[in-house]
Amino acid sequence: ADGFEAMVGIHPEPAAGTRFAAISFGVADLGVAEALLHSNSVECHRHRDRLVIPPVPGQGATFIFEDQQ
């Protein structure tokens, strides 16, 4: 959990069994992605050159957006 928290700035909630903790997407421009998310009222924050959407009910996993290299 400590490595996950260092990577995305979120402490994962404990869960029984196997679960999907995060998925990472490569994007051409983080600023454009961030503007699109904010314009659609999606909560997100920047952490270590990543754009992070915390898990919410019905989604469950953290979404991570990174510059496509």
Side-chain angles (χ1 to χ4, degrees):
D2 290 337
F4 185 85
E5 187 171 7
M7 187 173 100
V8 299
I10 296 172
H11 185 75
E13 292 295 320
T18 303
R19 70 183 185 108
F20 192 49
I23 185 167
S24 178
F25 301 94
V27 296
D29 187 322
L30 278 179
V32 171
E34 185 173 28
L36 180 63
L37 292 167
H38 284 300
S39 72
N40 285 286
S41 301
V42 176
E43 177 191 338
C44 62
H45 68 273
R46 293 245 185 174
H47 184 79
R48 296 189 179 188
D49 298 325
R50 295 177 177 98
L51 190 57
V52 178
I53 300 174
V56 295
Q59 170 188 315
T62 299
F63 288 3
I64 305 164
F65 293 85
E66 302 177 284
D67 275 323
Q68 192 172 14
Q69 308 261 335

